Amino acid sequence: MQEREISKAVIKRLPRYYRYLGELLEHKVERISSNELSDRMQVTASQIRQDLNNFGGFGQQGYGYNVKYLYNEIGKILGLDKTYNMIIIGAGHLGEALANYVKFEKRGFRIIGIFDTNPELEGKTIRGIQIMMDDRLPEFLSSHDIDIATLTLPKAGAEAIAPVLVKGGVKAIWNFAHTDLDLPPDVVVENVHLSESLMQLSYNINRKNRK
């Protein structure tokens, strides 16, 4: 059966469902209706049902959703039942902050290498991972199976290093650099442009003030 095309809006909401359901589990909530979930998430109950129906529904009329089951199933949809080897390229403040975020490992994202161009950082460690110079990257890629490369470096550096990653077999890039990378279609790129997010916030502040 051909896999159904899922809209980006639905995919964007899945991590929110996962987070809220995780919070419900922490509070020992066993089941929840779409209306109750709607109140928590500020998404209509109809939208929640439509979103989940893309993957089979999971609900039972008159009962609602089994929180643990739905949490686990959304985790599988998001690929969180697997383990991913990650590297970080750019050991500045942002790269260091990401490397220190312990919840990544709890979600199955294992950081196994950190690279930078600054020779002053060579040999220093972040959470026990030694920083290497980026000229060692091709050798590292040839001896390790890397699922995700995280780019936390300037635009020019990201554009220069991306082809090296692709040549080394990396098929997914989490890009924090201020550029949209031009890469082969079989490479998945998730862009996180922090300044654009801040500008959207600025727009919403000004729109609210104009009312």
Side-chain angles (χ1 to χ4, degrees):
M1 182 181 296
Q2 188 175 4
E3 186 174 347
R4 183 188 302 184
E5 187 70 24
I6 309 299
S7 75
K8 291 182 179 180
V10 173
I11 296 168
K12 190 174 181 179
R13 283 191 289 271
L14 286 178
R16 287 189 64 211
Y17 291 134
Y18 190 77
R19 174 163 54 88
Y20 276 93
L21 289 164
E23 291 172 358
L24 291 171
L25 281 177
E26 290 176 359
H27 289 89
K28 303 188 184 306
V29 176
E30 294 183 1
R31 67 175 180 172
I32 191 170
S33 69
S34 55
N35 286 325
E36 291 171 319
L37 194 55
S38 167
D39 291 339
R40 288 175 176 268
M41 291 191 58
Q42 300 300 303
V43 177
T44 66
S46 175
Q47 184 66 72
I48 290 171
R49 289 191 292 270
Q50 287 179 34
D51 287 352
L52 297 180
N53 282 338
N54 281 290
F55 307 98
F58 308 116
Q60 183 178 340
Q61 193 169 6
Y63 178 89
Y65 298 103
N66 180 298
V67 173
K68 185 176 182 179
Y69 176 74
L70 184 57
Y71 177 81
N72 289 335
E73 289 302 305
I74 290 178
K76 292 176 185 177
I77 292 166
L78 290 169
L80 300 180
D81 56 334
K82 303 172 184 175
T83 300
Y84 302 91
N85 289 333
M86 289 178 58
I87 58 174
I88 294 175
I89 304 174
H93 295 304
L94 179 55
E96 183 178 3
L98 293 174
N100 278 315
Y101 190 64
V102 295
K103 283 192 175 181
F104 287 150
E105 289 188 7
K106 293 180 181 178
R107 294 281 186 261
F109 301 95
R110 296 176 57 247
I111 299 170
I112 64 171
I114 304 173
F115 297 83
D116 203 277
T117 59
N118 183 356
E120 293 183 4
L121 296 178
E122 186 174 14
K124 293 184 177 181
T125 61
I126 303 175
R127 290 186 63 228
I129 304 171
Q130 194 172 75
I131 299 172
M132 295 175 277
M133 294 295 94
D134 63 358
D135 59 0
R136 294 181 58 187
L137 184 58
E139 177 187 356
F140 188 88
L141 293 175
S142 68
S143 58
H144 296 77
D145 291 325
I146 302 302
D147 301 295
I148 302 170
T150 304
L151 302 184
T152 56
L153 67 174
K155 174 180 177 179
E159 292 173 342
I161 208 74
V164 177
L165 295 169
V166 173
K167 186 176 180 180
V170 176
K171 294 297 184 182
I173 295 178
W174 197 20
N175 175 40
F176 286 83
H178 194 62
T179 183
D180 294 320
L181 300 170
D182 183 18
L183 298 175
D186 63 334
V187 178
V188 180
V189 180
E190 180 67 24
N191 293 305
V192 183
H193 297 325
L194 297 177
S195 61
E196 291 180 11
S197 179
L198 188 58
M199 283 186 273
Q200 289 176 32
L201 177 62
S202 174
Y203 168 80
N204 287 322
I205 291 171
N206 281 275
R207 185 181 66 172
K208 184 176 181 180
N209 290 339
R210 287 193 297 268
K211 290 182 178 179

